[in-house]
Amino acid sequence: SQQGEEDPQALSIQEGENATMNCSYKTSINNLQWYRQNSGRGLVHLILIRSNEREKHSGRLRVTLDTSKKSSSLLITASRAADTASYFCATDAGETSGSRLTFGEGTQLTVNP
Amino acid sequence: EAQVTQNPRYLITVTGKKLTVTCSQNMNHEYMSWYRQDPGLGLRQIYYSMNVEVTDKGDVPEGYKVSRKEKRNFPLILESPSPNQTSLYFCATAAYNEQFFGPGTRLTVL
């Protein structure tokens, strides 16, 4: 079964609006990462949050992590049409940090111009 | 330029015909991994390698083999491909917990 599960599966918003995607997972983790994938292409790393962190920012991205609820959220502020992509959370729960990433099924974000 | 390359990018083959998908990285990373991506299932790890001559099974290793004879290369071998191995395959390398993905190989097994 998938360690990370994103919610919603699909999200459609207007340019300038904020987009929030959620991720839930089942086991203890070393860190949680968010990736972006443009259609049919490789994934690109966006941001990593460690298990002892609660919030992290990178440009227009804000990630939160609640280890008690085993959940994370990715907020993209002031969205642009170029943000249209699939977004995946990935949990690192391996014995050796970085050895095993488990990906969710992704959220398809569409930003309408 | 730091990159992960995969070849071929597209392949259509028939059941039982052995094939190899190559993966090469120029970042001198010790860790490399193979994933497959299928609709509704997300990315699933096939095999990974922590270093030269060290490989481990991921979540879906059945029907696949890998080798890691040198740091930069990590080929994925399908000895006898079957239609259920039709998928989009990604090679990745990693350092400091961040993974760098190749462009993908779209494989169709008829």
Side-chain angles (χ1 to χ4, degrees):
Chain A
S1 63
Q2 291 293 318
Q3 163 75 322
E5 295 183 4
E6 288 93 345
D7 167 52
Q9 289 187 334
L11 179 61
S12 182
I13 61 174
Q14 295 299 123
E15 226 172 9
E17 294 180 340
N18 295 341
T20 299
M21 289 159 272
N22 302 299
C23 170
S24 60
Y25 58 92
K26 295 183 175 68
T27 66
S28 297
I29 60 173
N30 301 311
N31 62 70
L32 185 145
Q33 304 176 35
W34 285 91
Y35 287 80
R36 165 196 169 123
Q37 183 184 33
N38 288 83
S39 181
R41 306 184 73 168
L43 281 73
V44 175
H45 182 266
L46 293 176
I47 194 166
L48 179 153
I49 186 164
R50 301 190 188 285
S51 60
N52 61 353
E53 296 176 310
R54 292 296 167 260
E55 186 172 313
K56 204 161 183 180
H57 297 254
S58 177
R60 293 185 295 114
L61 305 180
R62 172 178 168 251
V63 170
T64 62
L65 178 65
D66 187 334
T67 52
S68 66
K69 295 181 179 177
K70 291 187 169 59
S71 68
S72 173
S73 68
L74 171 68
L75 168 67
I76 303 174
T77 60
S79 64
R80 306 166 182 168
D83 293 329
T84 294
S86 291
Y87 292 83
F88 295 84
C89 70
T91 51
D92 179 351
E95 290 181 3
T96 303
S97 183
S99 65
R100 297 288 305 273
L101 279 189
T102 303
F103 287 82
E105 295 175 27
T107 292
Q108 172 62 50
L109 173 66
T110 302
V111 181
N112 301 299
Chain B
E1 178 189 354
Q3 59 182 357
V4 180
T5 57
Q6 296 178 227
N7 281 293
R9 293 290 315 281
Y10 302 91
L11 179 61
I12 300 174
T13 189
V14 295
T15 298
K17 186 176 180 181
K18 181 180 178 179
L19 66 92
T20 299
V21 184
T22 64
C23 173
S24 183
Q25 53 106 353
N26 63 359
M27 290 175 268
N28 202 34
H29 290 165
E30 293 177 347
Y31 177 93
M32 297 186 75
S33 181
W34 276 103
Y35 297 88
R36 60 178 289 174
Q37 185 176 29
D38 302 287
L41 296 174
L43 274 85
R44 294 176 293 168
Q45 190 177 48
I46 302 170
Y47 270 94
Y48 66 100
S49 170
M50 299 294 288
N51 212 329
V52 175
E53 301 292 359
V54 179
T55 62
D56 284 289
K57 295 178 180 179
D59 297 314
V60 288
E62 295 78 19
Y64 304 94
K65 286 175 57 178
V66 292
S67 70
R68 189 86 184 278
K69 292 185 171 55
E70 50 190 340
K71 186 181 276 190
R72 64 180 291 123
N73 295 322
F74 190 44
L76 179 69
I77 304 155
L78 285 71
E79 294 271 2
S80 183
S82 62
N84 65 11
Q85 292 178 299
T86 292
S87 188
L88 180 58
Y89 290 87
F90 289 102
C91 178
T93 184
Y96 304 106
N97 300 311
E98 177 180 343
Q99 299 217 358
F100 301 86
F101 284 80
T105 294
R106 188 166 291 281
L107 173 65
T108 301
V109 183
L110 302 174

